[in-house]
Amino acid sequence: MKKIFLGISLLALIFAAQVSAQTTASAASAEEKFDLTAVQKALKDGGFDGWLFYDFRGSDPLAARILKLRVRTASSRRWFYYIPASGEPVKIVHAIEQARLDELPGKKLVYAPWDVLQKDIKDTLLAGAHGKKPRVAMEYSPDGNIPYIARVDAGTIELIRGFGVDVVPSGDLIQRFEAVWNDNQFAMHKEANEKVHKVIQEAFAEIKRRINANIPVNEYDIAEFISRRLDEEGVQGGGNVSVSVNTANPHYDPSKDKSAEIKKGDLVLFDIVGKLKKPKATQADLTWIGYVGDTVPEEYVKIWNIVHDARDAAFNFVKSAMRDKKPITGAQVDDAARAVIKKAGYGEYFTHRTGHNIGEEVHGSGTHMDNFETKDTRSVLPRTCFSIEPGIYLTGKFGVRSEIDVFTTENDAISATPMQTEIIAILK
């Protein structure tokens, strides 16, 4: 853990330069350009000698995004792109696809036989090493702990290490260029969050209206209502609506042909995502829960209180760490929430990670709050966003989950919308 924290501290130093570059960029830009200077600054501040990108037939979509490649079609031959901490990058491409990386800066090496490829890679990585073992970042994860960044196959990692290179995970570098938001992206997230929250409250009111008017209503009806209202609000999104026993299934999804009726006495769970219909817009992802009645039964309140406390424990852990400028990992945030649920005796019923990174995609490439499904030892960086959404799922009975979106600043952590404090009594 000491070694992990050292890397986190070094990587934290590069935050200001990258945020500045992202903030001044136009969020509406149709075609962003690759910023070699920003990458080399990150490598130097993080103590890396270089970053080696590798792709075969689209095996690493992260590389294409980080390098801002305009040509996204998969190549039929292997290519490598090496960015040293200082100096000129090197493109290594096959003889029949020589133009594959022409849009990127750097010297081009063309190979055909495999032994020439290996020599080119070795000479490139060891150039200027002067007997020192170069520390080179690649998209891999030790022990496969973080599959989201494990894009390079084991054989290629073995090959690179065989050249006398120290291959290290590029996880924090990736989120530096994939997950850190500029001011405009945070503003769009806040607006989307507010609109999603508004539609959720309207959906509770729509259930009340239909129940009081004796109009039959089911999960799919309300899911369609939510999708329509989001669209009217300028939000691209939708989500899951589940009631009663279906709330115990975290990924339940109603359909027109398979949907439960919503009745008095039902527990209702909404898990709704959405983003503005604008370029570079970032997602909002909220889960709220209600009860179709005037007074929420104690059996639901009991489980809600445990989930609520777990959510707040994780949130407060992050807030405290950011304020104290204390390095933390996604795994530690998961531990903070899970400890509360375990202490209450429901640990076996919390069957998923505490949260996921949020970006332009609802599940982004940054740190996940996870020490359960995976062991995410990446750092929680300033100006990144993620969900905190613990849950307890009693199969065959009901489930309870509460989800907020957390955005970190240089010295705090905030939620863009009000945090649910009690189960909504829909008919009250």
Side-chain angles (χ1 to χ4, degrees):
M1 186 61 71
K2 183 177 179 182
K3 184 176 181 181
I4 291 170
F5 280 167
L6 176 60
I8 294 168
S9 299
L10 288 169
L11 282 163
L13 294 174
I14 64 179
F15 162 72
Q18 179 62 17
V19 168
S20 176
Q22 289 199 353
T23 302
T24 55
S26 168
S29 173
E31 200 172 85
E32 293 180 294
K33 292 183 178 180
F34 171 61
D35 189 345
L36 175 61
T37 301
V39 173
Q40 290 188 316
K41 175 76 164 62
L43 290 170
K44 290 174 185 175
D45 289 344
F48 299 95
D49 292 300
W51 193 347
L52 180 62
F53 292 93
Y54 160 71
D55 186 82
F56 175 61
R57 300 179 69 178
S59 60
D60 188 1
L62 294 172
R65 293 208 301 259
I66 293 167
L67 296 173
K68 309 298 181 188
L69 293 178
R70 292 187 294 275
V71 179
R72 296 293 180 91
T73 54
S75 57
S76 65
R77 302 296 190 274
R78 291 173 286 181
W79 61 256
F80 289 82
Y81 187 63
Y82 182 62
I83 305 175
S86 59
E88 185 182 23
V90 177
K91 298 175 276 191
I92 303 176
V93 293
H94 194 274
I96 67 172
E97 292 182 342
Q98 295 188 32
R100 189 65 183 86
L101 301 178
D102 277 1
E103 63 190 277
L104 296 174
K107 177 177 65 175
K108 182 192 296 187
L109 300 178
V110 178
Y111 75 92
W114 64 265
D115 55 338
V116 173
L117 169 63
Q118 293 190 5
K119 183 179 186 303
D120 285 347
I121 298 170
K122 180 178 181 180
D123 292 346
T124 296
L125 297 178
L126 298 183
H130 304 299
K132 188 187 77 169
K133 195 173 188 179
R135 187 168 182 261
V136 175
M138 292 187 74
E139 278 73 84
Y140 103 102
S141 175
D143 300 326
N145 280 333
I146 309 173
Y148 310 96
I149 64 170
R151 302 291 183 169
V152 181
D153 63 275
T156 300
I157 295 295
E158 291 170 358
L159 174 70
I160 304 303
R161 283 180 169 158
F163 297 147
V165 173
D166 181 14
V167 179
V168 292
S170 61
D172 276 325
L173 285 170
I174 288 171
Q175 68 168 332
R176 176 65 55 203
F177 296 95
E178 282 272 292
V180 172
W181 288 3
N182 59 40
D183 290 342
N184 191 51
Q185 287 176 304
F186 179 51
M188 288 191 287
H189 168 74
K190 286 196 296 182
E191 185 177 348
N193 223 294
E194 289 162 2
K195 289 177 181 293
V196 169
H197 178 258
K198 174 186 176 183
V199 170
I200 285 173
Q201 306 313 311
E202 291 177 356
F204 284 137
E206 179 65 8
I207 291 174
K208 178 180 179 179
R209 184 187 73 82
R210 296 197 189 193
I211 292 291
N212 287 340
N214 292 317
I215 300 173
V217 59
N218 60 32
E219 297 163 325
Y220 185 74
D221 294 331
I222 298 303
E224 288 290 285
F225 171 86
I226 289 171
S227 294
R228 176 176 58 80
R229 284 294 299 119
L230 288 174
D231 184 63
E232 292 170 350
E233 291 287 337
V235 174
Q236 174 187 326
N240 294 338
V241 176
S242 57
V243 302
S244 188
V245 68
N246 293 333
T247 60
N249 179 355
H251 275 188
Y252 175 77
D253 189 11
S255 65
K256 188 173 183 179
D257 299 325
K258 182 182 178 182
S259 180
E261 184 181 357
I262 301 175
K263 310 177 300 298
K264 286 184 179 180
D266 277 339
L267 197 65
V268 180
L269 186 149
F270 297 152
D271 185 355
I272 312 301
V273 300
K275 66 177 181 177
L276 301 183
K277 299 174 184 178
K278 297 180 179 180
K280 309 298 293 181
T282 47
Q283 296 275 0
D285 187 3
L286 299 175
T287 299
W288 276 61
I289 195 162
Y291 172 75
V292 187
D294 298 307
T295 304
V296 182
E298 180 56 34
E299 65 173 334
Y300 297 147
V301 173
K302 174 186 175 182
I303 301 301
W304 162 260
N305 286 338
I306 298 169
V307 170
H308 168 275
D309 290 349
R311 182 199 71 191
D312 287 0
F315 181 55
N316 291 330
F317 175 74
V318 176
K319 284 182 72 73
S320 177
M322 301 311 293
R323 289 175 176 177
D324 295 341
K325 299 190 183 302
K326 175 185 175 183
I328 58 171
T329 67
Q332 290 175 302
V333 179
D334 183 74
D335 289 344
R338 201 166 300 277
V340 174
I341 293 177
K342 284 182 176 180
K343 185 177 180 180
Y346 289 89
E348 66 182 292
Y349 303 105
F350 181 12
T351 54
H352 57 73
R353 63 192 175 192
T354 289
H356 56 83
N357 177 255
I358 297 172
E360 294 177 48
E361 301 167 328
V362 70
H363 290 180
S365 299
T367 300
H368 301 304
M369 308 304 111
D370 191 1
N371 196 21
F372 181 72
E373 298 177 41
T374 68
K375 184 179 181 181
D376 203 323
T377 55
R378 290 177 291 177
S379 54
V380 176
L381 297 181
R383 299 191 73 87
T384 59
C385 184
F386 50 87
S387 68
I388 290 180
E389 49 179 307
I392 294 175
Y393 307 96
L394 306 176
T395 304
K397 296 181 179 180
F398 66 91
V400 172
R401 180 169 68 257
S402 180
E403 179 180 21
I404 60 173
D405 297 342
V406 178
F407 179 75
T408 55
T409 67
E410 294 87 341
N411 53 19
D412 203 359
I414 56 180
S415 178
T417 58
M419 296 163 62
Q420 186 172 4
T421 57
E422 61 183 3
I423 295 176
I424 302 296
I426 296 174
L427 302 183
K428 186 175 180 180

